[in-house]
Amino acid sequence: MDVPARDKGFTGSIPELYERYLVPLIFEPYAVDLAHRLAARPVGRLLEIAAGTGIVTRKLAALLPANTSITATDLNQAMLDMASSIQTVRPVSWERADALALPFENASFDAVACQFGVMFFPDKVRAFSEVRRVLAPGGVFAFNVWDRIEENEFAATITSALGLLFPQDPPRFLARTPHGHYSLAAIRHALHGAGFASAPGIDTVAARSRATSAEIPAIAYCQGTPLRSEIEAHKTPTLAEATEASANAIRQRFGAGEVEGKIQAHVVVVPC
């Protein structure tokens, strides 16, 4: 399925809100998981694609040996600017790069990591082919993708709430892109099409998403992702009204005060 251009727009205040709210809400536990999987392998040169605001990068910098070089890339300069502004325990090379045309030589890296970026690639076979090209023989590609939206309770609740608020044209960013590419068969097919000969190892990993109030996941999703642009394109109801409707829906489902919901993702590791 094609990815609309608006779904890839991490600009304006989105990077700051993404880092402040969304990273601790849903990304951090999977960043720890992915970093530990890679730290268990001999990696001298690591490339991260679609690094976002750098949560995986920071975990890798802390876990990998000091002599491992880390190059972190993203298509969105605003996300890279946010990532590079946050201190890492050791130097990281930050570079703007398109995953569909990586600016690196063949066999340049021992590992490639990608946290929740694959869903945004308009041509997944081409992106996976680029990963395979820059991996050295014996290297590994490790990435994760969100499972279907029904397995991710805050995202599902907000999507349903916005469907009621915008009945004529409901914003479907969360279901369409972040949670729209969970098919394991499609993942295996794309990897095979890109030339990965070995079968990938795939684990489905559930975790818990926690926040001190219903407002936090509402702000995180409605204002800290490209869902914001889809809401704002409607003019009315406003972004503030959509955020409040989302918070109310979370409050009704998960209670007042602290809230907690299930999140679930697939973690894929494939050797080159």
Side-chain angles (χ1 to χ4, degrees):
M1 182 174 67
D2 193 21
V3 179
R6 187 165 60 190
D7 286 9
K8 296 177 281 186
F10 291 82
T11 57
S13 63
I14 289 177
E16 192 273 333
L17 293 171
Y18 177 106
E19 173 62 30
R20 180 189 298 180
Y21 295 110
L22 208 58
V23 164
L25 186 70
I26 62 172
F27 290 135
E28 186 148 9
Y30 291 101
V32 171
D33 174 88
L34 203 62
H36 274 97
R37 290 172 190 260
L38 288 164
R41 298 171 175 271
V43 177
R45 303 160 298 169
L46 182 135
L47 171 67
E48 185 182 357
I49 57 176
T53 58
I55 180 60
V56 173
T57 322
R58 296 192 290 276
K59 301 299 182 185
L60 289 167
L63 285 173
L64 291 175
N67 62 350
T68 299
S69 68
I70 301 174
T71 301
T73 69
D74 198 275
L75 180 63
N76 290 278
Q77 187 62 49
M79 296 292 270
L80 276 179
D81 290 343
M82 173 61 64
S84 61
S85 73
I86 303 170
Q87 186 174 5
T88 55
V89 297
R90 59 190 174 90
V92 169
S93 175
W94 303 97
E95 297 186 33
R96 185 178 183 276
D98 185 345
L100 272 62
L102 293 172
F104 306 108
E105 298 294 328
N106 296 351
S108 297
F109 300 96
D110 304 307
V112 175
C114 183
Q115 162 119 313
F116 299 120
V118 165
M119 306 90 72
F120 293 89
F121 299 157
D123 185 336
K124 291 165 183 59
V125 172
R126 182 174 170 184
F128 290 166
S129 296
E130 279 292 276
V131 169
R132 184 175 175 274
R133 180 183 65 78
V134 302
L135 274 173
V140 66
F141 179 29
F143 66 95
N144 48 28
V145 296
W146 291 116
D147 201 351
R148 64 195 187 107
I149 197 167
E150 292 81 5
E151 301 292 348
N152 291 269
E153 293 177 331
F154 289 159
T157 301
I158 288 170
T159 298
S160 295
L162 295 178
L164 295 175
L165 194 64
F166 300 93
Q168 301 304 315
D169 184 19
R172 296 287 296 169
F173 164 74
L174 295 177
R176 180 177 60 245
T177 299
H179 297 282
H181 302 278
Y182 56 84
S183 167
L184 298 185
I187 291 169
R188 292 187 182 99
H189 181 75
L191 287 168
H192 180 76
F196 284 92
S198 299
I202 303 178
D203 295 325
T204 299
V205 180
R208 304 299 293 176
S209 182
R210 299 178 178 88
T212 55
S213 71
E215 283 75 19
I216 287 176
I219 294 169
Y221 283 105
C222 292
Q223 301 184 27
T225 76
L227 176 61
R228 178 183 189 137
S229 300
E230 194 171 6
I231 293 170
E232 290 179 326
H234 287 80
K235 306 296 184 183
T236 184
T238 65
L239 177 63
E241 290 168 332
T243 304
E244 181 56 29
S246 298
N248 286 336
I250 292 170
R251 201 175 292 114
Q252 290 169 11
R253 181 172 178 183
F254 300 98
E258 295 185 1
V259 292
E260 178 179 325
K262 177 186 178 184
I263 49 178
Q264 187 161 293
H266 304 305
V267 183
V268 183
V269 178
V270 57
C272 181

